[in-house]
């Protein structure tokens, strides 16, 4: 039963990929490429590329991709469902606990310690995204011909809009996409 | 006899007048108290009722908002957190900034994709298990639809220059959203009364993650431990030494 197999494999991936995003890559690789041979290494690299280009978590992207290739749209559903089920159950339990105990002193203390960590982690993710956008993922250097000034200008423009106005961030991103598409196309 | 009746009537009228006068004087006060109470009650309701019951219209809105967010989360889980903060904290005021920070920490340290975990937390916070399910559906559908289409002809998609250029532009937009959110959140943390320890934790976790590529789970664990220990120190030394931490 291929659906059950897909479900089970991605259930495991969803269960054991702590840390989100790229932490789940080796897990997906061992299961999908090495153990079952559902994809070859080239297709797997393609998935990573596609995941960078499309919205959504990489585990769900690969679940849908593998499921569709192996067993059509039902396969995709089985794999995606398996992928989100464990974290849904676990996080629902944690939500209930958070609701009940969030006013306890020690929980407050832990959460207070976590807040700055979260901001630091988001900032770190932001830095790697900026490196990706401005230097196209290459090593950071300040030579003029290495810097993508269009990206720098776009970032500056968007930050200004976001901080000065109350425009929906989704529209800001869409606008940046259209503007970037036009500028990069003609330059 | 007639006179007596007239007097009685006049007394009544006067009494009424006085009553009315009193009421007119008291009314604003009463109203003030009432409105204050109502506000308090609303506040209590908002703080006390962790998950509110919502109607169909709300679920539809929740679905649309999460769908929209998920359709634009290029580049990993922290992007959706930034977008959620802009949307649900700044724009819709459904949750506050502390909560989104809590959600991020929990979503990061639970297994599975950050975006899905954050959606579960948000949906559950807003309207219980049905809300969580609606939020999950909204979050999972965009990548599901997109990927099942792309998997058919993905080499054409990867090679397309127009797609590439638009995505490059959007990447800049994503960077801008993250920068904006980090500035706002960082300011809030540095404005707190005891800001030294949080500032060190923030800088430390940034350096650990950005320069040394430490697994975020360890960063979260260590910072949670520090937070827990700082509580212990306060209670151990008694009330007089609060300022030390």
């Amino acid at each position: 039963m291929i659906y059950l197999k897909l479900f089970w494999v991605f259930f495991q991936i969803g269960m054991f990929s702590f840390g989100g995003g790229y932490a789940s890559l080796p897990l997906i690789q061992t299961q999908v490429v090495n153990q079952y041979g559902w994809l070859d290494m080239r297709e797997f690299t393609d998935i990573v590329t596609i995941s960078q280009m499309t919205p959504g978590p990489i585990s769900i992207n690969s679940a849908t991709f593998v499921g569709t290739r192996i067993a059509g749209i039902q396969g995709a559903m089985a794999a995606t469902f398996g992928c989100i089920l464990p974290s849904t159950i676990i996080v629902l339990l944690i939500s209930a606990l958070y609701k009940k105990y969030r006013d306890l002193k020690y929980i407050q203390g832990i959460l207070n310690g976590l807040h700055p960590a979260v901001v630091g982690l988001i900032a770190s993710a932001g830095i790697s995204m900026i490196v990706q956008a401005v230097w196209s993922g290459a090593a950071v250097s300040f030579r003029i011909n290495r810097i993508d000034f269009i990206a720098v200008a776009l970032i500056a423009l968007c930050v200004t809009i976001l901080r000065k106005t109350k425009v929906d961030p989704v529209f800001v991103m869409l606008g940046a996409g259209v503007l970037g598409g036009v500028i990069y196309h003609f330059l | 006899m007639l006179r007596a009746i007239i007097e009685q009537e006049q007394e009544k009228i006067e009494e009424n007048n006085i009553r009315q006068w009193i009421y007119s004087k008291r009314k604003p006060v009463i109203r003030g108290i009432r409105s204050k109470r109502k506000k308090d009650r609303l506040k209590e309701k908002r703080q006390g009722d962790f998950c509110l019951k919502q109607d169909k219209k709300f679920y539809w809105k929740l679905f649309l908002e999460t769908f929209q967010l998920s359709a634009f989360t290029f580049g990993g889980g922290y992007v959706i957190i930034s977008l959620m903060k802009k949307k649900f904290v700044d724009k819709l005021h459904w949750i506050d900034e502390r909560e989104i920070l809590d959600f991020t920490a929990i979503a990061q340290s639970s297994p599975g994709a950050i975006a899905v975990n954050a959606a579960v937390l948000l949906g559950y916070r807003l309207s219980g298990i049905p809300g969580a399910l609606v939020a999950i559906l909204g979050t999972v559908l965009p990548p599901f639809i997109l990927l099942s289409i792309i998997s058919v002809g993905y080499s054409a998609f990867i090679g397309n220059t127009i797609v590439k250029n638009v995505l490059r532009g959007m990447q800049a937009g994503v960077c801008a959203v993250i920068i904006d959110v980090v500035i706002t959140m960082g300011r809030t943390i540095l404005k707190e009364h005891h800001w030294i320890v949080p500032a060190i934790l923030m800088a430390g976790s940034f350096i650990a993650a950005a320069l040394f590529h430490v697994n975020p789970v360890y960063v979260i664990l260590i910072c949670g431990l520090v937070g827990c220990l700082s509580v212990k120190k306060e209670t151990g030394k008694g009330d007089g030494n609060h300022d030390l931490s």
Side-chain angles (χ1 to χ4, degrees):
Chain A
M1 186 73 178
I2 187 70
Y3 300 129
L4 232 107
K5 218 178 214 171
L6 276 170
F7 172 82
W8 178 237
V9 164
F10 280 98
F11 186 88
Q12 283 171 307
I13 290 170
M15 183 91 199
F16 294 111
S17 60
F18 284 88
Y22 297 104
S24 60
L25 275 182
L27 214 66
I28 298 171
Q29 194 192 331
T30 35
Q31 291 271 358
V32 173
V33 181
N34 302 351
Q35 202 174 332
Y36 288 92
W38 283 335
L39 298 178
D40 57 32
M41 207 48 215
R42 214 187 72 82
E43 283 175 311
F44 182 71
T45 338
D46 282 345
I47 282 202
V48 179
T49 319
I50 292 173
S51 293
Q52 282 168 340
M53 295 169 80
T54 55
I58 196 161
S59 52
I60 290 179
N61 285 347
S62 53
T64 312
F65 190 89
V66 173
T68 317
R69 305 225 107 198
I70 302 298
I73 199 83
Q74 286 108 326
M77 280 178 186
T80 309
F81 185 61
C83 188
I84 59 173
L85 191 62
S87 58
T88 304
I89 295 170
I90 292 168
V91 176
L92 268 180
L93 284 175
I94 297 176
S95 298
L97 290 176
Y98 170 71
K99 172 193 167 189
K100 207 170 174 188
Y101 296 113
R102 68 168 171 168
D103 291 326
L104 286 184
K105 208 199 248 158
Y106 283 101
I107 301 294
Q108 278 294 319
I110 292 174
L111 289 173
N112 278 340
L114 292 185
H115 291 167
V118 166
V119 179
L121 289 175
I122 295 178
S124 147
I127 290 291
S128 55
M129 293 220 57
I130 292 171
V131 169
Q132 177 71 31
V134 176
W135 287 278
S136 304
V140 175
S141 80
F142 290 97
R143 249 188 273 157
I144 291 174
N145 58 349
R146 288 286 176 80
I147 297 173
D148 184 350
F149 282 105
I150 299 167
V152 175
L154 267 178
I155 293 172
L157 179 72
C158 292
V159 170
T160 320
I161 291 173
L162 282 168
R163 293 206 67 81
K164 298 289 174 200
T165 63
K166 286 201 165 176
V167 183
D168 199 311
V170 168
F171 291 120
V172 174
M173 287 167 67
L174 260 182
V178 173
L179 205 63
V182 172
I183 296 173
Y184 283 123
H185 188 71
F186 290 109
L187 283 179
Chain B
M1 184 69 181
L2 207 86
R3 229 173 157 185
I5 291 173
I6 288 170
E7 268 178 14
Q8 267 187 351
E9 284 296 310
Q10 269 181 343
E11 256 174 43
K12 264 185 191 171
I13 289 168
E14 261 178 35
E15 222 172 82
N16 267 346
N17 277 348
I18 288 171
R19 242 181 229 158
Q20 270 180 2
W21 181 79
I22 290 172
Y23 270 120
S24 71
K25 284 286 169 196
R26 278 165 77 187
K27 231 178 190 172
V29 182
I30 292 169
R31 220 184 253 156
I33 289 170
R34 243 185 222 160
S35 61
K36 213 177 177 183
R37 270 188 194 152
K38 208 176 172 187
K39 250 186 212 165
D40 282 349
R41 247 185 284 145
L42 275 177
K43 216 176 176 184
E44 275 169 19
K45 207 181 171 190
R46 267 174 66 191
Q47 289 171 345
D49 283 14
F50 186 80
C51 357
L52 306 162
K53 275 189 181 161
Q54 310 281 2
D55 53 352
K56 252 186 198 167
K57 225 171 149 187
F58 175 82
Y59 286 129
W60 180 237
K61 189 157 170 57
L62 179 64
F63 174 75
L64 282 185
E65 297 289 351
T66 46
F67 188 91
Q68 220 184 36
L69 285 194
S70 179
F72 287 95
T73 49
F74 297 88
Y78 291 115
V79 179
I80 207 172
I81 295 291
S82 311
L83 283 172
M84 268 186 177
K85 196 252 162 197
K86 289 279 313 165
K87 192 145 230 170
F88 295 116
V89 179
D90 299 344
K91 198 162 158 250
L92 294 168
H93 304 292
W94 284 356
I95 50 176
D96 59 36
E97 201 172 318
R98 283 184 60 87
E99 282 174 318
I100 197 82
L101 287 169
D102 289 349
F103 289 176
T104 317
I106 297 171
Q108 168 68 66
S109 37
S110 314
I114 294 178
V116 178
N117 295 349
V120 175
L121 283 159
L122 178 85
Y124 187 80
R125 159 71 178 80
L126 291 173
S127 48
I129 289 178
L133 294 180
V134 169
I136 290 175
L137 199 67
T139 308
V140 171
L141 271 185
F144 184 82
I145 295 169
L146 255 172
L147 258 287
S148 39
I149 295 168
I150 286 174
S151 66
V152 181
Y154 69 98
S155 48
F157 177 80
I158 291 181
N160 193 320
T161 44
I162 294 175
V163 171
K164 232 181 222 164
N165 287 337
V166 171
L167 287 173
R168 256 173 101 185
M170 276 190 148
Q171 217 172 28
V174 173
C175 292
V177 172
I178 294 189
I179 292 172
D180 173 44
V181 167
V182 166
I183 292 173
T184 317
M185 282 180 163
R187 255 199 203 154
T188 317
I189 281 175
L190 293 181
K191 262 184 199 162
E192 272 172 32
H193 187 55
H194 308 288
W195 61 273
I196 299 172
V197 177
I200 293 169
L201 287 180
M202 189 157 66
S205 48
F206 172 72
I207 291 167
L211 296 183
F212 300 107
H213 304 287
V214 177
N215 189 335
V217 176
Y218 297 129
V219 175
I220 294 264
L221 275 178
I222 292 169
C223 291
L225 198 70
V226 172
C228 193
L229 288 178
S230 64
V231 174
K232 222 171 193 175
K233 213 167 72 186
E234 269 177 29
T235 49
K237 285 182 181 171
D239 288 343
N241 289 337
H242 263 301
D243 291 331
L244 272 178
S245 63

